[in-house]
Amino acid sequence: MSPITAASASLNSITLTRPDDWHLHLRDDAVLASVLPHTAKQFARAIVMPNLKPPVTTTAAALAYRERIIAALPEGMRFEPLMTLYLTNNTTPDEIRRARDSGLIHAVKLYPAGATTNSDAGVTDLRLCYPTLDVMQQCGMPLLVHGEVTDPAIDLFDREAVFIDQVMVPLRNDLPELKVVFEHITTKHAADYVSSASGPIAATITAHHLLYNRNAIFLGGIRPHYYCLPVLKRESHRLALVKAATSGNPRFFLGTDSAPHSKGAKEHACGCAGCYTALHAMELYAEAFDQAGALEKLEGFASLFGPSFYQLPVNSGQITLQRQDWTLPMELPLGNSTVVPLNAGETLRWKAV
Ligand code: DOR
Ligand code: ZN
């Protein structure tokens, strides 16, 4: 393990240990080939989400997907995909043992059925999964949680808070040693819960949830590129997330949830959920930490706390971010279509160099 270097912060530039993205959607085929270089340029590794069509539910499928990712990596780029399995009602304890024995599968993702993109095969009743979760607890395999209830009677903006009471607390009472990552948290409730809960729990936080509140979705008209799940919340929640991310608490670390959808699928009568940030993720996090006057806390959040939770070595190598204006393109190639990045056409104040 390389020594932990304090981030060298100065007014106009910051150098960090090379970061990792602990929550990423890479998709597959031509889309994978379009997006992978953006992530590989900024991050050494990423936890790769398994919500493909069909979902990645077996060790064999995850290892085959890993090979496709490595094959899609441009010549000369280095990047390590950290694979995950998609939990279903039928995932067996043996499948978890196979995943663990592969050494290449680092977590299992819980999508409550119907919660988000390609979650139809997700879990309908978590109690059906208890024998499997018990094996995960025994072998230290983290459960990554999309923490929203799907009951249509629950207001969309309350789904994360209700999930904590109805699902997260009972689950962790029943399986107190299960490693859990509360993914892409969006509320003060979740930040407070993760800060104060006992046992092995952490949370990822996206750059867009640190920078924007729900007004961004409706500023002068409906703005589909700011629509993701869990949806952006009100300002008091954004402030709580910034406080958690910049606190230096190792339970909070970086996960972009960069989720590419084609321009047409976003700018649609029923637009898909997901913000594309892989191109400029570290710049967005630098902006958020800079606004909070906490650039010196970025290295822990981006580069040190994730490896510690996942029991992986800290990366060697570094990344430097400079205070430098640059303008994002309006669109980027995405397979045979295009993707509109978050902040398309806007000028950012930080640039990875
Ligand atoms: O906004 C989102 N997009 N949230 C998710 O949970 C899934 C993701 C996707 O896969 O598009
Ligand atoms: Zn996601």
Side-chain angles (χ1 to χ4, degrees), residues 123-161:
V123 173
T124 56
D125 180 353
L126 201 50
R127 279 165 302 190
L128 296 171
C129 300
Y130 267 32
T132 298
L133 295 173
D134 194 42
V135 173
M136 288 172 58
Q137 174 172 248
Q138 284 165 36
C139 66
M141 177 72 81
L143 180 71
L144 313 184
V145 178
H146 183 110
E148 289 191 288
V149 292
T150 55
D151 179 351
I154 307 291
D155 189 276
L156 180 80
F157 291 94
D158 296 335
R159 288 182 185 178
E160 184 172 279

Side-chain angles (χ1 to χ4, degrees), residues 23 25 49 109 111 184 257:
H23 184 125
H25 298 270
M49 288 297 128
K109 179 72 189 270
Y111 288 104
H184 43 50
D257 199 15

Side-chain angles (χ1 to χ4, degrees), residues 73-200:
L73 199 61
E75 197 65 32
M77 287 193 111
R78 284 183 56 193
F79 173 74
E80 191 183 349
L82 306 172
M83 307 312 293
T84 62
L85 292 189
Y86 183 117
L87 186 69
T88 74
N89 292 346
N90 304 317
T91 306
T92 62
D94 273 350
E95 197 59 63
I96 301 302
R97 292 187 193 100
R98 267 193 292 281
R100 189 254 339 254
D101 291 347
S102 77
L104 298 169
I105 296 171
H106 295 269
V108 176
K109 179 72 189 270
L110 164 63
Y111 288 104
T116 187
T117 309
N118 297 342
S119 62
D120 299 349
V123 173
T124 56
D125 180 353
L126 201 50
R127 279 165 302 190
L128 296 171
C129 300
Y130 267 32
T132 298
L133 295 173
D134 194 42
V135 173
M136 288 172 58
Q137 174 172 248
Q138 284 165 36
C139 66
M141 177 72 81
L143 180 71
L144 313 184
V145 178
H146 183 110
E148 289 191 288
V149 292
T150 55
D151 179 351
I154 307 291
D155 189 276
L156 180 80
F157 291 94
D158 296 335
R159 288 182 185 178
E160 184 172 279
V162 172
F163 184 91
I164 297 170
D165 294 338
Q166 290 189 355
V167 184
M168 188 67 99
V169 169
L171 168 71
R172 299 192 65 253
N173 279 338
D174 292 341
L175 296 156
E177 296 307 320
L178 178 65
K179 290 179 87 167
V180 171
V181 183
F182 199 155
E183 297 289 335
H184 43 50
I185 60 168
T186 64
T187 58
K188 181 174 190 307
H189 308 96
D192 288 348
Y193 172 73
V194 171
S195 297
S196 61
S198 57

Side-chain angles (χ1 to χ4, degrees), residues 21-351:
D21 184 350
W22 300 99
H23 184 125
L24 176 67
H25 298 270
L26 284 175
R27 316 300 193 209
D28 213 343
D29 304 318
V31 171
L32 165 64
S34 298
V35 301
L36 180 61
H38 297 156
T39 288
K41 202 169 164 200
Q42 298 209 329
F43 298 101
R45 300 170 292 202
I47 285 279
V48 180
M49 288 297 128
N51 62 332
L52 303 183
K53 279 184 196 162
V56 179
T57 54
T58 64
T59 301
L63 298 183
Y65 183 30
R66 180 175 176 274
E67 292 302 321
R68 295 197 296 282
I69 295 168
I70 289 167
L73 199 61
E75 197 65 32
M77 287 193 111
R78 284 183 56 193
F79 173 74
E80 191 183 349
L82 306 172
M83 307 312 293
T84 62
L85 292 189
Y86 183 117
L87 186 69
T88 74
N89 292 346
N90 304 317
T91 306
T92 62
D94 273 350
E95 197 59 63
I96 301 302
R97 292 187 193 100
R98 267 193 292 281
R100 189 254 339 254
D101 291 347
S102 77
L104 298 169
I105 296 171
H106 295 269
V108 176
K109 179 72 189 270
L110 164 63
Y111 288 104
T116 187
T117 309
N118 297 342
S119 62
D120 299 349
V123 173
T124 56
D125 180 353
L126 201 50
R127 279 165 302 190
L128 296 171
C129 300
Y130 267 32
T132 298
L133 295 173
D134 194 42
V135 173
M136 288 172 58
Q137 174 172 248
Q138 284 165 36
C139 66
M141 177 72 81
L143 180 71
L144 313 184
V145 178
H146 183 110
E148 289 191 288
V149 292
T150 55
D151 179 351
I154 307 291
D155 189 276
L156 180 80
F157 291 94
D158 296 335
R159 288 182 185 178
E160 184 172 279
V162 172
F163 184 91
I164 297 170
D165 294 338
Q166 290 189 355
V167 184
M168 188 67 99
V169 169
L171 168 71
R172 299 192 65 253
N173 279 338
D174 292 341
L175 296 156
E177 296 307 320
L178 178 65
K179 290 179 87 167
V180 171
V181 183
F182 199 155
E183 297 289 335
H184 43 50
I185 60 168
T186 64
T187 58
K188 181 174 190 307
H189 308 96
D192 288 348
Y193 172 73
V194 171
S195 297
S196 61
S198 57
I201 185 155
T204 54
I205 308 181
T206 78
H208 41 289
H209 289 99
L210 292 176
L211 287 168
Y212 301 105
N213 65 39
R214 63 194 190 179
N215 289 352
I217 312 168
F218 305 104
L219 196 73
I222 194 147
R223 292 180 181 255
H225 300 292
Y226 288 85
Y227 172 58
C228 64
L229 287 172
V231 74
L232 295 172
K233 302 298 191 299
R234 64 169 69 236
E235 178 67 2
S236 53
H237 294 295
R238 186 189 73 83
L239 291 172
L241 299 178
V242 170
K243 194 173 162 211
T246 60
S247 66
N249 182 338
R251 287 186 168 181
F252 298 101
F253 48 81
L254 184 158
T256 64
D257 199 15
S258 178
H261 292 278
S262 70
K263 179 174 157 73
K266 293 284 295 175
E267 299 174 7
H268 190 274
C270 186
C272 293
C275 298
Y276 188 67
T277 56
L279 180 73
H280 54 312
M282 284 307 297
E283 286 91 339
L284 295 180
Y285 282 108
E287 177 66 37
F289 278 65
D290 192 15
Q291 282 177 18
L295 277 173
E296 79 285 357
K297 301 286 191 187
L298 183 57
E299 185 178 47
F301 178 81
S303 314
L304 307 179
F305 303 155
S308 166
F309 185 85
Y310 279 88
Q311 295 180 286
L312 290 168
V314 169
N315 296 313
S316 55
Q318 294 181 316
I319 183 176
T320 296
L321 295 149
Q322 264 178 16
R323 198 182 292 278
Q324 179 190 318
D325 286 358
W326 65 293
T327 302
L328 258 85
M330 293 301 292
E331 294 176 28
L332 298 157
L334 188 77
N336 56 14
S337 175
T338 62
V339 61
V340 177
L342 196 72
N343 315 101
E346 293 175 27
T347 297
L348 302 186
R349 299 192 299 175
W350 286 90
K351 179 109 186 67

